Amino acid sequence: MKKMIKDPAWQKTEDEKFMKIALKLSCLGLGRTEPNPMVGAVVVKNGKIVSSGYHRAYGAPHAEAMALANMQISGATLYLTLEPCCHFGKTPPCTELIIEKKISRVVTAMDDPNPLVNGRGNERLRACGIQTHGGLYADWAAHINRHYLKAVRSRLPYVVLHAGISLDGKLTDDAGHSRWVTSEEGRRYSHSLRGEFSAILAGHGTILADDPQLNLRESGWQGKTLYRVVLDSNNTLPRSLNVFRDQESFPLVIFSSNAAANRKKKVPLHFFVRHQAHGLVLADVLEQLSRLGIASVLVEGGGRVLDSFVREQRFDEVAFFISDKIVGGRNSVQVFASGVARLEEALELVDCRWTEYAGGTMMRGFRKCSPA
């Protein structure tokens, strides 16, 4: 292995500048690339950007191919937010294209933990005389691709709990009605959030009470496939509900108990899993979703479903839209009805980020010691 030579200060400054651009480019693939990662690429020669690209969608050319496709200049530096692939998948290995284009130096933000890559991409480049430098803004890159990293490392989808709640933490009023806890602007923002994920999940109660479509309607998400996941333990939901429509664009996945009286499949992706006292075994649900290639899930409830995910610590992040209303009520539904016996057992969120909007605030935070 070649010894790594420390770059002079000017080189470090230049590397940081162009890697920031590559990282911002990668974010343009948000919600479109899963189960693949979001990747940005910038080609630089003599301190100037020659070409750039990003991974636009699953199955589309990789960022390296987009950036290098029409480039004829040799001896350039390539900035990548993730180690280049070295295997055949839906596209040829990007390492071979980098070698073919006579790139002299490759700077990456982080290694790709995919077992098919995992350092082999950089090894292939070094074997061909290309200098490699890794780890630049690795934390930033990992945050951008947290869905992908969780899915690859644990073979489970990244789970985000999503809810509109009142200032005192209520999902509904005392009679169980949830329309509308949050403001219209909050609901628009909340609805658009679905596009960032591979799937959206809700329980039997919510589907029956609200008859939601659980789809994407914003113009910015046109053409995106979103899986709709429904937990229906007893397999009793009627096919007349909205979730059974438009399955070509929004495939429906149903999970029911393997002890249900009705074991007849209602859709092709209908699975029967183990059942316990509080409902379906979430581990079984998530493992099956992973096998379907679903890298991330937005859990929209209702209250019993959210409570199960919190109680079993089967989540990585929360996205709560908090209204300016105080609802109260002894019978109103809340996110974590089970609660904890002692404050020391409370689940802690870290790196919480707050965004204000008309009529409320959005909070996104991460579960402490998240498996991601």
Side-chain angles (χ1 to χ4, degrees):
M1 183 179 292
K2 295 183 178 180
K3 291 183 178 180
M4 184 172 290
I5 301 173
K6 289 187 178 181
D7 296 324
W10 68 267
Q11 183 67 72
K12 180 182 178 183
T13 301
E14 184 172 280
D15 286 350
E16 291 174 347
K17 171 186 173 181
F18 293 119
M19 184 58 77
K20 287 178 181 178
I21 295 173
L23 286 163
K24 291 175 182 178
L25 273 175
S26 73
C27 295
L28 296 176
L30 179 66
R32 301 280 185 179
T33 66
E34 294 184 2
N36 285 348
M38 293 181 280
V39 182
V42 175
V43 183
V44 175
K45 182 71 180 285
N46 297 327
K48 295 182 179 181
I49 295 178
V50 176
S51 181
S52 63
Y54 68 95
H55 186 32
R56 296 175 183 270
Y58 178 68
H62 288 186
E64 299 93 320
M66 292 289 292
L68 297 173
N70 300 312
M71 201 195 76
Q72 304 300 327
I73 302 172
S74 62
T77 296
L78 173 62
Y79 294 88
L80 285 173
T81 58
L82 191 70
E83 178 185 8
C85 65
C86 52
H87 63 285
F88 281 92
K90 284 188 172 291
T91 61
C94 289
T95 50
E96 304 315 297
L97 180 60
I98 293 170
I99 295 165
E100 176 190 328
K101 293 293 183 176
K102 294 182 170 54
I103 294 295
S104 62
R105 182 170 177 263
V106 174
V107 181
T108 57
M110 65 178 297
D111 288 350
D112 187 347
N114 185 331
L116 296 173
V117 187
N118 199 23
R120 295 184 183 89
N122 288 329
E123 287 177 6
R124 170 65 178 151
L125 297 180
R126 286 193 292 269
C128 292
I130 298 174
Q131 295 179 34
T132 63
H133 180 82
L136 184 60
Y137 293 125
D139 289 346
W140 185 355
H143 178 77
I144 290 171
N145 272 318
R146 58 193 184 277
H147 296 184
Y148 170 75
L149 296 176
K150 166 78 181 295
V152 168
R153 289 169 175 165
S154 69
R155 296 181 182 271
L156 291 171
Y158 188 92
V159 177
V160 175
L161 305 185
H162 173 218
I165 60 178
S166 65
L167 199 58
D168 55 339
K170 305 294 185 178
L171 292 163
T172 70
D173 59 23
D174 212 36
H177 301 135
S178 60
R179 295 185 177 181
W180 296 106
V181 172
T182 54
S183 69
E184 183 178 351
E185 183 173 342
R187 293 195 297 276
R188 285 200 304 269
Y189 192 0
S190 170
H191 193 276
S192 182
L193 183 67
R194 294 175 178 178
E196 296 183 15
F197 299 85
S198 299
I200 179 173
L201 184 150
H204 169 277
T206 296
I207 301 299
L208 203 57
D210 299 339
D211 193 16
Q213 297 179 59
L214 291 185
N215 60 8
L216 293 168
R217 295 184 287 276
E218 285 82 359
S219 58
W221 294 116
Q222 283 180 345
K224 173 184 165 62
T225 297
L226 178 72
Y227 283 85
R228 297 174 294 181
V229 182
V230 175
L231 306 185
D232 181 21
S233 295
N234 296 321
N235 194 18
T236 57
L237 288 176
R239 289 187 177 89
S240 59
L241 293 169
N242 282 323
V243 289
F244 285 91
R245 301 175 184 174
D246 199 13
Q247 293 191 46
E248 185 175 338
S249 298
F250 305 104
L252 178 60
V253 185
I254 299 178
F255 287 93
S256 300
S257 169
N258 57 14
N262 178 11
R263 293 287 303 275
K264 186 177 180 179
K265 287 189 173 185
K266 291 179 179 175
V267 294
L269 298 177
H270 194 156
F271 303 96
F272 293 84
V273 298
R274 291 177 297 166
H275 190 275
Q276 58 185 3
H278 296 288
L280 299 178
V281 176
L282 296 181
D284 291 359
V285 171
L286 295 175
E287 286 171 10
Q288 181 58 57
L289 292 178
S290 177
R291 285 193 285 271
L292 292 175
I294 292 173
S296 63
V297 180
L298 185 68
V299 178
E300 288 206 351
R304 184 177 177 183
V305 171
L306 289 168
D307 180 71
S308 294
F309 274 89
V310 176
R311 184 180 59 253
E312 296 184 23
Q313 299 187 39
R314 292 284 179 181
F315 73 97
D316 303 282
E317 184 180 343
V318 302
F320 290 160
F321 289 80
I322 307 167
S323 74
D324 293 338
K325 302 173 184 175
I326 296 177
V327 175
R330 295 184 183 277
N331 299 313
S332 49
V333 179
Q334 51 191 328
V335 172
F336 188 23
S338 295
V340 294
R342 299 179 302 170
L343 280 175
E344 304 91 271
E345 299 170 354
L347 295 178
E348 186 176 350
L349 299 179
V350 296
D351 195 20
C352 294
R353 304 175 186 189
W354 303 79
T355 304
E356 291 188 11
Y357 60 85
T361 307
M362 177 190 182
M363 187 277 285
R364 295 188 76 162
F366 303 86
R367 181 166 70 88
K368 191 174 183 180
C369 300
S370 167

